[in-house]
Amino acid sequence: MHLTSQDLTAIERIKKLNIVNAISGIRPANLIGTKGREGTNLAIFNSVTHIGSSPPLLGIVLRPKDEVPRHTYENIISSGYYTINHVHKSFSIQAHYTSAKFESDVSEFTSCGLSEEYLFGFEAPFVKESRVKLGMRFVEEIPIKLNNTMLIIGEIMHLTIPDGIMDDEGQLDLEEAGSTGVSGLNTYYQISKAHKLPYARTHQVPHFRNT
Amino acid sequence: MHLTSQDLTAIERIKKLNIVNAISGIRPANLIGTKGREGTNLAIFNSVTHIGSSPPLLGIVLRPKDEVPRHTYENIISSGYYTINHVHKSFSIQAHYTSAKFESDVSEFTSCGLSEEYLFGFEAPFVKESRVKLGMRFVEEIPIKLNNTMLIIGEIMHLTIPDGIMDDEGQLDLEEAGSTGVSGLNTYYQISKAHKLPYARTHQVPHFRNT
């Protein structure tokens, strides 16, 4: 199947949304926890991405004016803090329903059967059910004017994971952690390790033959 | 295990790189194909992310001054075109070795046993072995001054996938496509479907009980 940009433009909005949201491949399923004037908020995001390791920075792409992530955006900006929590298969259905458009005074924690947890004196709520959790400090918002989205950049202030899922080199075993991926807006995937490869050095490249 | 930002700062560079590159969860494994004055270039990236569906925009975070992605960056800016190709398990080892620091006149296609393919009159090279391929037009580069990286945004001009892996709603089956994920810099994961859930509407939220 081949689609050109003209074909894509002509496709009905929801179908196009599904196609474009899935086409870049698997994305991480994360819950973002925040606190604002109207209470706590929890929202699922598939756009958390790595920006750099020194300082340890992660980004999220969000649309400030959309209904769903609006509270997340406002709470991040007003409080300066948020949490990123991996979604596991055991609660991916609960996590998915945080994307419903609840009233602003309703906490998705309560509505979706997930538990607030406060750790390390950090002011934003963590998700108790998650095994890999990050406490983030908001650092910068970078507008993407092309489509009125924002890249929100934060620094990792706290990181907590169960013992035994990170090796001595700092490599996290996401299969062992039970972390899930998401494709498009509503298909959740389990992940299992295929290969762990060495750092690629030119003089160690195997002799591949073109197929 | 709990690490604070101070703990992270004190960790040795490579270990910190491993930790921070993996901590946001699973990321898509993609090969980016470009063409420049010195020939073709192919590089593995785990930072392709969704920016918006209308117009269909994807972003990549890259470091213009690093050794490895430099040719990719230069070729994208100078030619205005690039391809994004999903990595499958059958060639993830080859794909991984494109990250070795080859000389600028060496094409990673040849060195890593992957095949250039030219489709639809598009000028950047696709990866023949890949089943999900995008032809991208460079649109904008947004500097992230915090750590001297760039968000490169492109529009999908061509999209090609095998028949039968996208349903009528435009949902792509990444398990069927055989697309892989990556965690950190060198651990590759296979993915398998866990749940396909409906669009989350407030009046259809199941009655969850807090755990």
Side-chain angles (χ1 to χ4, degrees), chain B residues 101-123:
Chain B
K101 296 176 183 175
F102 294 103
E103 296 299 317
S104 61
D105 59 346
V106 171
S107 173
E108 292 80 8
F109 278 102
T110 318
S111 308
C112 298
L114 293 164
S115 316
E116 293 180 23
E117 184 179 40
Y118 292 90
L119 297 171
F120 324 124
F122 196 71
E123 65 179 82

mmCIF file of all heavy atoms in Angstrom, chain B residues 101-123:
data_model
loop_
_atom_site.group_PDB
_atom_site.id
_atom_site.type_symbol
_atom_site.label_atom_id
_atom_site.label_comp_id
_atom_site.label_asym_id
_atom_site.label_seq_id
_atom_site.Cartn_x
_atom_site.Cartn_y
_atom_site.Cartn_z
ATOM 1 N N LYS B 101 31.086 4.711 13.988
ATOM 2 C CA LYS B 101 31.534 5.981 13.377
ATOM 3 C C LYS B 101 32.308 5.730 12.090
ATOM 4 O O LYS B 101 33.539 5.840 12.060
ATOM 5 C CB LYS B 101 32.378 6.760 14.389
ATOM 6 C CG LYS B 101 31.543 7.166 15.604
ATOM 7 C CD LYS B 101 32.361 7.858 16.681
ATOM 8 C CE LYS B 101 31.451 8.147 17.892
ATOM 9 N NZ LYS B 101 32.166 8.710 19.031
ATOM 10 N N PHE B 102 31.600 5.420 11.031
ATOM 11 C CA PHE B 102 32.245 5.167 9.739
ATOM 12 C C PHE B 102 32.799 6.478 9.166
ATOM 13 O O PHE B 102 32.317 7.560 9.479
ATOM 14 C CB PHE B 102 31.230 4.578 8.756
ATOM 15 C CG PHE B 102 30.733 3.213 9.143
ATOM 16 C CD1 PHE B 102 29.481 3.051 9.720
ATOM 17 C CD2 PHE B 102 31.520 2.090 8.949
ATOM 18 C CE1 PHE B 102 29.020 1.795 10.092
ATOM 19 C CE2 PHE B 102 31.059 0.821 9.311
ATOM 20 C CZ PHE B 102 29.816 0.681 9.883
ATOM 21 N N GLU B 103 33.805 6.356 8.296
ATOM 22 C CA GLU B 103 34.311 7.535 7.582
ATOM 23 C C GLU B 103 33.192 8.133 6.740
ATOM 24 O O GLU B 103 32.278 7.423 6.327
ATOM 25 C CB GLU B 103 35.476 7.140 6.656
ATOM 26 C CG GLU B 103 36.700 6.607 7.374
ATOM 27 C CD GLU B 103 37.312 7.638 8.324
ATOM 28 O OE1 GLU B 103 37.402 8.814 7.921
ATOM 29 O OE2 GLU B 103 37.671 7.257 9.460
ATOM 30 N N SER B 104 33.318 9.438 6.428
ATOM 31 C CA SER B 104 32.202 10.121 5.781
ATOM 32 C C SER B 104 31.940 9.634 4.356
ATOM 33 O O SER B 104 30.838 9.769 3.838
ATOM 34 C CB SER B 104 32.423 11.632 5.789
ATOM 35 O OG SER B 104 33.594 11.933 5.079
ATOM 36 N N ASP B 105 32.965 9.036 3.692
ATOM 37 C CA ASP B 105 32.726 8.564 2.325
ATOM 38 C C ASP B 105 32.284 7.091 2.274
ATOM 39 O O ASP B 105 32.161 6.502 1.211
ATOM 40 C CB ASP B 105 33.973 8.786 1.452
ATOM 41 C CG ASP B 105 35.187 8.059 2.012
ATOM 42 O OD1 ASP B 105 35.128 7.611 3.198
ATOM 43 O OD2 ASP B 105 36.182 7.927 1.290
ATOM 44 N N VAL B 106 32.072 6.508 3.461
ATOM 45 C CA VAL B 106 31.602 5.115 3.525
ATOM 46 C C VAL B 106 30.095 5.132 3.744
ATOM 47 O O VAL B 106 29.611 5.821 4.635
ATOM 48 C CB VAL B 106 32.290 4.380 4.708
ATOM 49 C CG1 VAL B 106 31.671 3.007 4.939
ATOM 50 C CG2 VAL B 106 33.785 4.278 4.479
ATOM 51 N N SER B 107 29.342 4.394 2.947
ATOM 52 C CA SER B 107 27.902 4.333 3.180
ATOM 53 C C SER B 107 27.591 3.203 4.149
ATOM 54 O O SER B 107 28.066 2.081 3.995
ATOM 55 C CB SER B 107 27.142 4.099 1.867
ATOM 56 O OG SER B 107 25.768 3.885 2.175
ATOM 57 N N GLU B 108 26.782 3.510 5.147
ATOM 58 C CA GLU B 108 26.366 2.475 6.101
ATOM 59 C C GLU B 108 25.518 1.412 5.410
ATOM 60 O O GLU B 108 25.402 0.297 5.906
ATOM 61 C CB GLU B 108 25.576 3.088 7.261
ATOM 62 C CG GLU B 108 26.391 3.970 8.192
ATOM 63 C CD GLU B 108 26.618 5.370 7.669
ATOM 64 O OE1 GLU B 108 26.015 5.722 6.622
ATOM 65 O OE2 GLU B 108 27.395 6.108 8.297
ATOM 66 N N PHE B 109 24.888 1.746 4.294
ATOM 67 C CA PHE B 109 24.124 0.732 3.560
ATOM 68 C C PHE B 109 25.051 -0.432 3.211
ATOM 69 O O PHE B 109 24.767 -1.597 3.503
ATOM 70 C CB PHE B 109 23.543 1.321 2.269
ATOM 71 C CG PHE B 109 22.262 2.097 2.436
ATOM 72 C CD1 PHE B 109 22.262 3.480 2.434
ATOM 73 C CD2 PHE B 109 21.047 1.434 2.578
ATOM 74 C CE1 PHE B 109 21.076 4.193 2.566
ATOM 75 C CE2 PHE B 109 19.860 2.135 2.708
ATOM 76 C CZ PHE B 109 19.872 3.527 2.691
ATOM 77 N N THR B 110 26.183 -0.116 2.582
ATOM 78 C CA THR B 110 27.126 -1.151 2.157
ATOM 79 C C THR B 110 27.786 -1.823 3.358
ATOM 80 O O THR B 110 27.822 -3.058 3.449
ATOM 81 C CB THR B 110 28.238 -0.510 1.286
ATOM 82 O OG1 THR B 110 27.629 0.416 0.408
ATOM 83 C CG2 THR B 110 29.004 -1.554 0.511
ATOM 84 N N SER B 111 28.271 -1.008 4.298
ATOM 85 C CA SER B 111 29.017 -1.566 5.434
ATOM 86 C C SER B 111 28.159 -2.465 6.302
ATOM 87 O O SER B 111 28.663 -3.377 6.948
ATOM 88 C CB SER B 111 29.547 -0.446 6.325
ATOM 89 O OG SER B 111 30.248 0.480 5.558
ATOM 90 N N CYS B 112 26.879 -2.178 6.374
ATOM 91 C CA CYS B 112 26.013 -2.923 7.299
ATOM 92 C C CYS B 112 25.098 -3.904 6.577
ATOM 93 O O CYS B 112 24.190 -4.474 7.188
ATOM 94 C CB CYS B 112 25.218 -1.945 8.162
ATOM 95 S SG CYS B 112 26.296 -0.928 9.182
ATOM 96 N N GLY B 113 25.313 -4.128 5.296
ATOM 97 C CA GLY B 113 24.562 -5.168 4.592
ATOM 98 C C GLY B 113 23.093 -4.854 4.393
ATOM 99 O O GLY B 113 22.253 -5.749 4.401
ATOM 100 N N LEU B 114 22.792 -3.586 4.194
ATOM 101 C CA LEU B 114 21.397 -3.208 3.919
ATOM 102 C C LEU B 114 21.332 -2.590 2.518
ATOM 103 O O LEU B 114 22.335 -2.112 1.997
ATOM 104 C CB LEU B 114 20.899 -2.232 4.987
ATOM 105 C CG LEU B 114 20.780 -2.868 6.394
ATOM 106 C CD1 LEU B 114 20.679 -1.806 7.473
ATOM 107 C CD2 LEU B 114 19.590 -3.831 6.467
ATOM 108 N N SER B 115 20.155 -2.627 1.901
ATOM 109 C CA SER B 115 20.059 -2.259 0.490
ATOM 110 C C SER B 115 19.321 -0.940 0.281
ATOM 111 O O SER B 115 18.231 -0.751 0.811
ATOM 112 C CB SER B 115 19.304 -3.345 -0.278
ATOM 113 O OG SER B 115 19.755 -4.620 0.115
ATOM 114 N N GLU B 116 19.919 -0.078 -0.534
ATOM 115 C CA GLU B 116 19.250 1.166 -0.917
ATOM 116 C C GLU B 116 18.109 0.846 -1.871
ATOM 117 O O GLU B 116 18.245 -0.017 -2.738
ATOM 118 C CB GLU B 116 20.217 2.087 -1.679
ATOM 119 C CG GLU B 116 21.333 2.598 -0.820
ATOM 120 C CD GLU B 116 22.303 3.516 -1.593
ATOM 121 O OE1 GLU B 116 21.895 4.102 -2.628
ATOM 122 O OE2 GLU B 116 23.458 3.614 -1.149
ATOM 123 N N GLU B 117 17.035 1.574 -1.721
ATOM 124 C CA GLU B 117 15.907 1.391 -2.628
ATOM 125 C C GLU B 117 15.354 2.767 -2.961
ATOM 126 O O GLU B 117 15.175 3.596 -2.068
ATOM 127 C CB GLU B 117 14.835 0.550 -1.919
ATOM 128 C CG GLU B 117 13.653 0.205 -2.803
ATOM 129 C CD GLU B 117 12.622 -0.662 -2.067
ATOM 130 O OE1 GLU B 117 12.359 -0.403 -0.876
ATOM 131 O OE2 GLU B 117 12.088 -1.577 -2.699
ATOM 132 N N TYR B 118 15.101 3.010 -4.243
ATOM 133 C CA TYR B 118 14.536 4.302 -4.647
ATOM 134 C C TYR B 118 13.120 4.064 -5.145
ATOM 135 O O TYR B 118 12.874 3.233 -6.011
ATOM 136 C CB TYR B 118 15.435 4.966 -5.697
ATOM 137 C CG TYR B 118 16.744 5.368 -5.051
ATOM 138 C CD1 TYR B 118 17.825 4.496 -5.022
ATOM 139 C CD2 TYR B 118 16.858 6.591 -4.387
ATOM 140 C CE1 TYR B 118 19.009 4.838 -4.357
ATOM 141 C CE2 TYR B 118 18.027 6.948 -3.720
ATOM 142 C CZ TYR B 118 19.092 6.066 -3.709
ATOM 143 O OH TYR B 118 20.245 6.398 -3.036
ATOM 144 N N LEU B 119 12.178 4.790 -4.539
ATOM 145 C CA LEU B 119 10.753 4.575 -4.797
ATOM 146 C C LEU B 119 10.060 5.905 -5.073
ATOM 147 O O LEU B 119 10.451 6.932 -4.493
ATOM 148 C CB LEU B 119 10.083 3.959 -3.563
ATOM 149 C CG LEU B 119 10.547 2.577 -3.101
ATOM 150 C CD1 LEU B 119 9.915 2.250 -1.747
ATOM 151 C CD2 LEU B 119 10.183 1.508 -4.126
ATOM 152 N N PHE B 120 9.012 5.864 -5.883
ATOM 153 C CA PHE B 120 8.111 7.005 -6.093
ATOM 154 C C PHE B 120 8.820 8.249 -6.617
ATOM 155 O O PHE B 120 8.349 9.369 -6.404
ATOM 156 C CB PHE B 120 7.373 7.381 -4.780
ATOM 157 C CG PHE B 120 7.002 6.222 -3.902
ATOM 158 C CD1 PHE B 120 7.422 6.170 -2.577
ATOM 159 C CD2 PHE B 120 6.233 5.170 -4.398
ATOM 160 C CE1 PHE B 120 7.087 5.107 -1.755
ATOM 161 C CE2 PHE B 120 5.880 4.098 -3.579
ATOM 162 C CZ PHE B 120 6.311 4.071 -2.265
ATOM 163 N N GLY B 121 9.980 8.119 -7.227
ATOM 164 C CA GLY B 121 10.733 9.285 -7.680
ATOM 165 C C GLY B 121 11.282 10.129 -6.530
ATOM 166 O O GLY B 121 11.731 11.253 -6.740
ATOM 167 N N PHE B 122 11.279 9.564 -5.318
ATOM 168 C CA PHE B 122 11.739 10.294 -4.133
ATOM 169 C C PHE B 122 13.256 10.244 -4.083
ATOM 170 O O PHE B 122 13.864 9.200 -4.324
ATOM 171 C CB PHE B 122 11.126 9.645 -2.887
ATOM 172 C CG PHE B 122 11.201 10.490 -1.654
ATOM 173 C CD1 PHE B 122 10.413 11.626 -1.525
ATOM 174 C CD2 PHE B 122 12.056 10.155 -0.610
ATOM 175 C CE1 PHE B 122 10.470 12.412 -0.372
ATOM 176 C CE2 PHE B 122 12.123 10.941 0.544
ATOM 177 C CZ PHE B 122 11.323 12.063 0.651
ATOM 178 N N GLU B 123 13.912 11.367 -3.739
ATOM 179 C CA GLU B 123 15.365 11.392 -3.897
ATOM 180 C C GLU B 123 16.172 10.752 -2.765
ATOM 181 O O GLU B 123 17.306 10.348 -2.989
ATOM 182 C CB GLU B 123 15.858 12.806 -4.172
ATOM 183 C CG GLU B 123 15.657 13.786 -3.034
ATOM 184 C CD GLU B 123 16.204 15.165 -3.414
ATOM 185 O OE1 GLU B 123 15.475 15.886 -4.104
ATOM 186 O OE2 GLU B 123 17.334 15.499 -3.028
#
